[in-house]
């Protein structure tokens, strides 16, 4: 689990992940990275006893998603994320989709620009979507159960 200290998004993502890991009795192996070169080094030397990779929400990490995908495939590990990166090769991601969130924000902005007072617009939250990349799943030797596929908002075949 590469982690960028000082990155507020990464810190919040890690805090959430730690809570979930504790409930599920999962041990997190956290590797501190501060640069792309450190990330490359960490992902090129994944310990053999690791069961999966997780991509935290962080500008540095997400901008290097291809390194995560390459490491997952080379090490035959599942790769998941709370960021919507399934189109870039992450096997499974659950989170908001920036494109859909942008459309939502545009719709709300248009209403305001057309004269609707902001206080009269109902509060909305962004939806979360399950995205699955079956190409990556096949490359790492994982068969995604049909029950999981049925819950996906998007599937890359």
């Amino acid at each position: 689990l590469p982690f960028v200290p000082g990155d507020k998004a990464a810190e919040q993502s890690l805090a959430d992940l730690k809570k979930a890991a504790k409930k599920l009795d999962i041990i997190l192996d956290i590797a501190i990275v501060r640069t792309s070169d450190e990330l490359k080094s960490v992902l090129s030397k994944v310990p053999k006893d690791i069961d999966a990779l997780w991509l935290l929400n962080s500008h540095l990490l997400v901008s290097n998603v291809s390194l995560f995908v390459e490491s997952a495939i080379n090490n035959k590990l599942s790769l998941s994320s709370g960021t919507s990166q399934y189109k870039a090769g992450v096997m499974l991601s659950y989170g908001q989709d920036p494109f859909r969130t942008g459309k939502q924000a545009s719709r709300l902005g248009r209403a305001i620009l057309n004269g609707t007072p902001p206080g009269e617009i109902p509060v909305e939250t962004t939806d979360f979507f399950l995205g699955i990349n079956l190409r990556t799943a096949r490359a790492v030797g994982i068969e995604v159960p049909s029950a999981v596929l049925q819950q996906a908002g998007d599937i890359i075949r």
Side-chain angles (χ1 to χ4, degrees), residues 27-106:
I27 299 168
L28 301 177
D29 186 350
I30 300 169
I32 303 295
V33 297
R34 291 182 176 82
T35 66
S36 293
D37 287 336
E38 288 179 359
L39 179 61
K40 286 177 192 173
S41 178
V42 163
L43 290 175
S44 70
K45 297 181 256 177
V46 174
K48 296 298 177 200
D49 62 342
I50 298 297
D51 296 313
L53 292 175
W54 183 269
L55 173 60
L56 287 171
N57 188 13
S58 160
H59 178 70
L60 173 66
L61 302 179
V62 171
S63 66
N64 286 285
V65 66
S66 62
L67 296 175
F68 280 85
V69 174
E70 180 182 337
S71 181
I73 291 171
N74 289 343
N75 292 287
K76 300 293 187 205
L77 297 170
S78 67
L79 171 61
S80 300
S81 179
T83 67
S84 185
Q85 295 297 317
Y86 62 94
K87 292 176 186 173
V90 171
M91 188 184 80
L92 186 138
S93 63
Y94 182 72
Q96 61 90 19
D97 181 298
F99 180 76
R100 290 178 174 151
T101 301
K103 285 178 66 174
Q104 179 184 25
S106 296

Side-chain angles (χ1 to χ4, degrees), residues 8-23:
K8 296 297 182 193
E11 289 172 356
Q12 182 60 57
S13 295
L14 181 59
D16 293 342
L17 191 58
K18 282 181 175 179
K19 288 178 193 173
K22 184 176 181 177
K23 286 181 184 177

Side-chain angles (χ1 to χ4, degrees), residues 107-122:
R107 180 177 44 75
L108 296 173
R110 182 175 54 237
I112 292 168
L113 292 173
N114 286 333
T116 303
E120 291 181 14
I121 297 174

